[in-house]
Amino acid sequence: MLPRSVKLVEVGPRDGLQNEPRAVPTAVKVDLIERLATAGLAVIEAGSFVSPKWVPQMADTADVLAAITRRPGVSYPVLVPNAKGLDAALAVTGVEEIAVFGAASEAFSHRNTNCSIAEGLERFAGVIAAARDRGLRVRGYVSCVLGCPYEGAVNPAIVARVAGDLFDMGCYEISLGDTIGAGTPLAAQRMVDAVAKRVPRDRLAAHFHDTYGQALANLLAVMERGVSVIDSSVSGLGGCPYAQGASGNVATEDVLYMLNGMGIETGVDMDALLRAGAMIGAALGRPPASRVGRALARRDQADPGAA
Ligand code: HMG
Ligand code: MG
């Protein structure tokens, strides 16, 4: 059975912009986040407190957080890899939620965070406990749930173990990352069924990159298995700097169009979302990767009254 409503988690300002070859001005990031909130997105990942040597594009996260106008009912989580990142997040007024990120592949864990899966989990146990002590909510990511750029196939039992450990440590939600977008629908269902042995289905989120064009099909497949939280990126921005060739997250516009068509509530307004996508596309100097964004832009050019 499909969910009646879906929570969309907008990751464009973090997952999208972390991968841009050129620095994006802080003011553009702030404008994007404001527009996404105007569109009705209630969770907007705003940046990350990682090493600026590893991901220079996120080095201005504190400035971004200081400049946005926080709206009631909107959460602005930030990625945190270690105690230093948590301290940086806590130094900013208003941070209420962080996300930690582990992986189901040893090679990816080393490339992304310079440690093994087990070392990462040990580090996160301390970060999660300290964050919760300070009243923060913590989300947990697992990368490479449907394949790894270095190791190939990934065993769903390992995904379940990492997801279960993060959940047991106190993450309120576990986001399952198909980092390289290699998954297909039945594999995605098998993976969710395996994880559901450790984490309740209503605490799972799907975080699918769209490299192979499978993301919407995979989302429909996992919604049929009880997932009702979807991560997506306006205009299909992004990729992971430590997963060469991986393209952006599934586009928020494409997900919204599919959910609207199926009568599934999200609280997000398509026209306002398209305006956010057009703004960031113009700032980056390229058309949206979203198929729906492009189709609706053509429709609106042909018939300006249609918007
Ligand atoms: P390391 O080099 O092992 O760390 O990196 P270290 O503790 O040895 O520190 C090295 C230097 O970094 C030191 O500076 C630290 O102070 C500094 P130096 O003394 O050389 O001047 N440092 C920091 N600076 C600022 N903030 C910090 C921080 N920590 C250390 N938090 C580390 C280990 C985890 C730090 C590094 O590997 C890292 O930052 N990795 C993050 C990589 C990343 O952001 N990847 C993208 C996000 S994950 C993703 O996209 C996947 C996801 O979307 C889901 C999916 O799609 O699958 C979530
Ligand atoms: Mg990602």
Side-chain angles (χ1 to χ4, degrees), residues 8-103:
L8 288 178
V9 174
E10 171 60 47
V11 296
R14 192 279 305 170
D15 203 336
L17 298 184
Q18 74 179 5
N19 207 39
E20 282 300 315
R22 279 188 305 269
V24 178
T26 305
V28 170
K29 296 179 181 179
V30 172
D31 187 15
L32 177 63
I33 292 169
E34 301 285 8
R35 286 170 187 264
L36 292 166
T38 300
L41 286 147
V43 188
I44 304 170
E45 213 171 59
S48 54
F49 287 105
V50 298
S51 167
K53 289 184 184 139
W54 286 63
V55 183
Q57 296 85 345
M58 293 287 111
D60 63 346
T61 292
D63 298 333
V64 171
L65 290 173
I68 55 176
T69 307
R70 288 170 183 276
R71 305 192 193 192
V74 180
S75 181
Y76 303 89
V78 285
L79 255 55
V80 161
N82 54 16
K84 186 171 176 132
L86 177 61
D87 288 345
L90 287 168
V92 179
T93 311
V95 171
E96 292 169 345
E97 180 171 342
I98 63 163
V100 296
F101 48 104

Side-chain angles (χ1 to χ4, degrees), residues 269-296:
D269 177 69
M270 179 65 91
D271 288 331
L273 180 64
L274 291 172
R275 286 194 288 275
M279 184 285 287
I280 192 64
L284 299 176
R286 59 166 185 267
S290 157
R291 301 283 289 267
V292 167
R294 290 203 299 262
L296 292 179

Side-chain angles (χ1 to χ4, degrees), residues 11 14-16 18 45 141 143 177-179 207-209 231 239-240 247-249:
V11 296
R14 192 279 305 170
D15 203 336
Q18 74 179 5
E45 213 171 59
Y141 277 105
S143 284
D178 184 7
T179 317
H207 176 106
F208 295 165
H209 287 257
D231 296 3
C240 176
S247 69
N249 296 89

